[in-house]
Structures are given as C-alpha cells and as structure tokens.
Amino acid sequence: MRPVALFAVILFASAATAADPKPASFTLTFDPGKLAEPFTGRVVVVLSPRAPAPVVRGLNWGNPEPAFAVDVKGWKPGTPLTVGADALGTVPLKEVKPGRYFAQAVLDRDLGGISFAASPGNLYSKPVELKEFDPAAAGDTALTLDQVATEPEFKETDAVTLVDVESKLLTKFHGRPTRMRAGVVLPPSFTKEADRKYPVVYEIPGFGGDHFAAFGAARRKAWDLAGTEAIWVVLDANCRLGHSVFADSANNGPVGTALVEELIPHIEKTYRGVGKPAARLVTGHSSGGWSSLWLQVAYPDAFGGCWSTSPDPVDFRDFQRVDLYTPSANLFTDPKGERRALSRGSGRGVMYFDSFSRMEEVMGRGGQLESFEAVFSPRGKDGKPLKLWDRKTGAINPDVAEAWEPYDISLKLKREWATLGPKLAGKVHVYMGDEDTFYLDGAARLLKRRVAKLGSDAVVEMFPGKTHALVDAKLRERMNKEMAAAISRAEPVRDGK
C-alpha cells in the first residue's frame, strides 16, 4: 500500500474511534477554596428534568429523579472523581430514560441539616444542561463543586419572631453545639410592655416542614382560638437523620427532654406564657401528628391536650399495612408475594416500599423511612441506626422490630395505662381520614379499638372519604374551639395569670 493511502486509512480509523459513543459518566472535582481538607462521605449526582434553583433539595417521592451516589474516603480537593455505571443509583445509570436533564453534583458534609443536598455547608455544582442525554452515548460530563449551601434567612416581623437557642442536653449527646429553633407567632394584643400572660400552642409540622411555617400560621391567624388569644409556636423538628418527632432516641439524642426541659421554658419565660400544663397544648400533622401524640403520652404532666391529625403509624401492628410483629414480615411484599404500595391515589398504588427504600439508600440520610429507624432503632456498632428491613429483600428483622416496641404508642398505652390513664383524661384527640394517602388509617383504627377497650375518653375519629390532606378550614375551626374550651376549663388560666 502506498504511503498516502496508508495515511488515509490510519486517519479514517482514528476519526472513527474518536466518534465512537461512550457510556455516560461524570467527572467531579471540588474547589479547595470552598473546602480545603480531604473529604470523606457521600457524593451524589442528580439528573433533574428542571434546573435546580439553585440546588436540588431532595428527590421526588412519587417519581425519583435519576440519582447516583458514591462514598469516598480522603477525596482531595482538585482531584478528579468519576461517578459512573458502578455507582449506587435510583436506577442503573445505563437505564436512565434519554431526554433533557440538568446534571448537578452535591457533596454531603452532614453538618446537621436534614437535606443530603441542600444542608448548610454542603458543596454543590452549578447545574449543567444536557439537552439530549443518552446514557449509552453521553460520554463524560465535568462537574465542579464550587458552590456552598447556605441557611435561609428567617425574616422576623412584628408578629413572627425567631427562637434559636443551644440545647445543652443535645450538645452533650452529639459532642458538638446543637441548636433548637422555633417560629413564634404573637397575638395582636401582645406588647413587650404589657404583663399579660398567654396560653401557648406548640405546632409540629410534618416531614420536611420547619419553623418557617410560622409565617403561614400568622397569615391564618393561628393565635385566634375561637376568640381566645394564644401564642402559637411552630417547632423545627428537622435533624440530620430526618424528623426527630421529639422522641428521645439512641440516635437523635434526648430531643423530647430537651424540648420539655429547655426550649419550652425558654419560650414561655421570654414571651410570657402562662407556664402551666393546662395552658400548654400541642398539635401537629403527619409526622408532626405522631409527635404531638407522643409528647402528650410521654410527658402527660407537661401538656394540657393534644390535637393530632393524620399521624404516622401509632400502632406497629399496622405500620402502613405491615404488621411488624408478625414472623416473616416483609416491607416490600405482602403475604401473597405482591409488591407492597407505600401510598395510594385514585384507588391504586402510587409509591412502593422497594423503590422508595432504594431512593433513600442513594440519598444516604434524611429520608422518611430511615427517619423512623433513626428514632426507633438502637444504635449499631457502626454508629448508625440498626436496620429494620433488609435493603435487598425487604425482610423485617424481628429483633429490631422488638426493639421498636417502646415507641409503639398504642402498645405503650396498654402497658402503662394504670399510670397514664388518669393523666390523659380529656387530653387526647386524634383525627384521621379513613382513606389516608399513606395507609395510616389502619393504625389509627387499631388505636381507636385499644383506647375503647381501656375505657379511655380519648377521641380517635375517622373521617369518611378523607385522605392525608385532612385538615381544612372546617376542621381547623373545630380544633380551635376545642382548644379554647380546654383552656377555659383550667381555672388558673382563665384570667391569664
């Protein structure tokens, strides 16, 4: 072959090789100006259908974004890190549906915030648009983590103020400064010069909610309990492992005790609360609903009544349709071997335990299901909560299920009724839709039967046709009247003294 022809063949072969499609991967580096020391922990790449603003805060429960995680040890700033086909994913990287995405990398420093991505101090990259992403041919995408997630600003008003104090109990437990926060909604008659004292209602938002909900409470005039003025406090239950539900635990620490012994006394001293249990009420929805009921039951002398709506499982014989105490119980499949739904809509399953569990595996922390483990499970030798279910098979670990028993509210009532019964008289109100979106109605029915058998006057009411979004203007008005009545029955509170 002549030299010119040979050169042409080589050139053609080189061009063909260069044009060969390569599977998708991501090359990450992080800015030493943002984090100077080597990083050990979890790094996640998320492919979002819309541009994050500015950073992804979490994954879509109903339809999780493609996300891929790797755990690194001693990853040095400026050193490339490849996230590819072997990364843990919500779906395998090669199976991502082709289309338009925005790629973003996050480095989870795990400094205390609930979000694996947007917690203050975390590093993240600016999103890179991938207009026609094909996992089989996308090649490599470079992402530089040079942005730092910051704490949103709580902009106080005359009606809404911020409480942010260090908890000595939690600081001692975690070995680092740990703070508790709340948004305080003040009634119109409140002035710093006045000496009037007020009853206080403590609200606990559902999973992912926080003290910023105080601004919404102010707009709906939450302080007005059917003509009775009260200070309305919205608590922040978020922690690095999810929602603390204000229950003391081996993993989150003495959160309930810190609330009752540190934060509440501080708030009521600062804002002139009556300071008596009869003038201290607690309410919440979903995870906050469980929290409010737990606080009333675990600290019966500290609160004058609870109003719990759509609470998380209050009886572990029906943990979103799973009987945790049944031998061979499985989170992923029912007794017939069929895939188990986690939520429903329009009469069919919408989310499923197996895919939801996998999503949380990628996140690493801060997920709803794993949040239960953080509260209810003992701490393992690795310093992490013991796993209730096998992440591959869904099989329930009976030893861990047994360790959860102290947090089974229905069981706690049964075991401690001789002591709790008199202290809870007239104080318990639980409201649940009988078609709850997350199948929480089953546990509420068991609780209803339990308290009836115990001879309790606890109100556990099922609302026909209602879903998880149970609370509307009509129910809120009813609860306000019930709270006002509970306060008025307490003679020391009647005069605000």
Side-chain angles (χ1 to χ4, degrees):
M1 183 178 291
R2 289 180 296 173
V4 174
L6 177 61
F7 177 76
V9 170
I10 294 173
L11 185 63
F12 177 79
S14 299
T17 300
D20 285 345
K22 294 183 179 180
S25 64
F26 304 90
T27 297
L28 282 51
T29 54
F30 69 92
D31 185 347
K34 306 300 182 183
L35 182 61
E37 65 270 15
F39 172 72
T40 296
R42 176 151 292 196
V43 182
V44 183
V45 174
V46 181
L47 299 180
S48 302
R50 291 173 293 277
V55 58
V56 61
R57 302 199 65 82
L59 300 182
N60 185 330
W61 282 12
N63 185 26
E65 297 85 348
F68 312 95
V70 294
D71 291 321
V72 298
K73 185 176 182 179
W75 179 29
K76 297 179 180 179
T79 303
L81 171 71
T82 298
V83 177
D86 58 346
L88 177 66
T90 52
V91 295
L93 180 54
K94 65 181 180 181
E95 295 180 13
V96 173
K97 183 180 178 180
R100 177 174 176 262
Y101 295 96
F102 291 86
Q104 186 171 51
V106 296
L107 179 156
D108 183 12
R109 296 184 66 192
D110 195 5
L111 298 177
I114 184 175
S115 174
F116 75 94
S119 290
N122 281 3
L123 268 59
Y124 64 93
S125 69
K126 294 178 180 178
V128 173
E129 184 177 6
L130 306 176
K131 294 184 178 180
E132 297 180 359
F133 179 81
D134 181 349
D140 189 66
T141 299
L143 299 171
T144 302
L145 294 92
D146 56 3
Q147 308 294 305
V148 181
T150 57
E151 185 84 37
E153 182 182 359
F154 191 102
K155 297 181 180 180
E156 295 183 305
T157 68
D158 290 340
V160 181
T161 65
L162 173 67
V163 171
D164 185 341
V165 297
E166 181 177 348
S167 163
K168 293 181 180 179
L169 290 170
L170 293 175
T171 293
K172 181 179 179 181
F173 177 86
H174 292 292
R176 55 177 172 75
T178 304
R179 309 190 71 78
M180 302 187 79
R181 301 179 296 186
V184 179
V185 182
L186 300 172
S189 64
F190 184 93
T191 61
K192 292 183 178 179
E193 294 75 26
D195 60 358
R196 177 180 174 182
K197 294 184 178 182
Y198 295 84
V200 185
V201 179
Y202 293 89
E203 178 188 358
I204 307 164
F207 192 89
D210 57 24
H211 56 301
F212 280 82
F215 293 102
R219 287 191 293 272
R220 71 171 190 264
K221 299 181 180 180
W223 48 266
D224 183 2
L225 303 180
T228 298
E229 284 193 345
I231 293 172
W232 192 278
V233 178
V234 182
L235 300 171
D236 180 13
N238 289 334
C239 61
R240 56 176 289 270
L241 295 178
H243 194 295
S244 76
V245 297
F246 290 106
D248 290 359
S249 78
N251 300 289
N252 294 330
V255 194
T257 301
L259 172 67
V260 172
E261 296 184 2
E262 294 180 325
L263 186 59
I264 286 178
H266 172 82
I267 290 173
E268 296 187 0
K269 179 180 179 181
T270 303
Y271 295 98
R272 302 197 310 275
V274 171
K276 298 179 182 295
R280 184 182 303 123
L281 311 179
V282 61
T283 186
H285 184 74
S286 194
S287 291
W290 193 97
S291 308
S292 60
L293 181 58
W294 173 261
L295 285 170
Q296 184 63 78
V297 171
Y299 305 92
D301 297 323
F303 297 94
C306 78
W307 280 260
S308 167
T309 60
S310 303
D312 286 346
V314 292
D315 190 311
F316 295 167
R317 293 172 296 172
D318 192 327
F319 197 88
Q320 294 172 273
R321 300 193 302 163
V322 183
D323 184 347
L324 299 184
Y325 305 134
T326 297
S328 303
N330 192 290
L331 199 69
F332 295 168
T333 56
D334 65 19
K336 296 180 180 179
E338 296 180 357
R339 192 180 183 203
R340 194 188 295 276
L342 171 64
S343 72
R344 58 185 165 182
S346 301
R348 62 181 181 84
V350 176
M351 297 187 292
Y352 291 83
F353 275 104
D354 53 1
S355 57
F356 201 92
S357 175
R358 184 171 181 85
M359 177 191 72
E360 292 194 348
E361 269 199 285
V362 174
M363 292 165 54
R365 64 178 185 84
Q368 171 70 88
L369 292 179
E370 293 189 1
S371 179
F372 292 134
E373 288 179 325
V375 178
F376 306 147
S377 288
R379 178 178 289 195
K381 294 181 180 179
D382 60 357
K384 298 179 181 180
L386 291 180
K387 290 180 169 55
L388 175 69
W389 69 96
D390 186 287
R391 293 321 196 246
K392 293 182 179 179
T393 68
I396 299 294
N397 184 325
D399 293 331
V400 177
E402 184 178 1
W404 280 29
E405 287 185 5
Y407 298 96
D408 182 330
I409 295 178
S410 177
L411 185 60
K412 181 178 179 68
L413 290 173
K414 177 185 177 182
R415 289 175 171 175
E416 302 175 28
W417 189 246
T419 301
L420 289 176
K423 296 182 177 183
L424 294 177
K427 293 183 177 182
V428 174
H429 310 78
V430 179
Y431 301 134
M432 175 69 73
D434 73 349
E435 296 180 12
D436 185 84
T437 310
F438 299 99
Y439 299 104
L440 299 170
D441 49 301
R445 289 188 184 92
L446 291 175
L447 177 65
K448 184 178 180 70
R449 291 198 287 269
R450 176 86 80 193
V451 295
K453 189 174 182 179
L454 291 171
S456 169
D457 65 357
V459 177
V460 181
E461 185 171 342
M462 310 300 297
F463 288 70
K466 292 291 187 177
T467 65
H468 197 64
L470 173 66
V471 182
D472 55 16
K474 183 177 180 180
L475 179 56
R476 196 177 295 282
E477 181 181 6
R478 172 183 163 179
M479 291 193 296
N480 285 348
K481 291 180 179 178
E482 291 171 349
M483 289 180 184
I487 292 170
S488 68
R489 286 193 296 269
E491 188 68 29
V493 179
R494 190 169 296 164
D495 298 324
K497 297 179 180 179

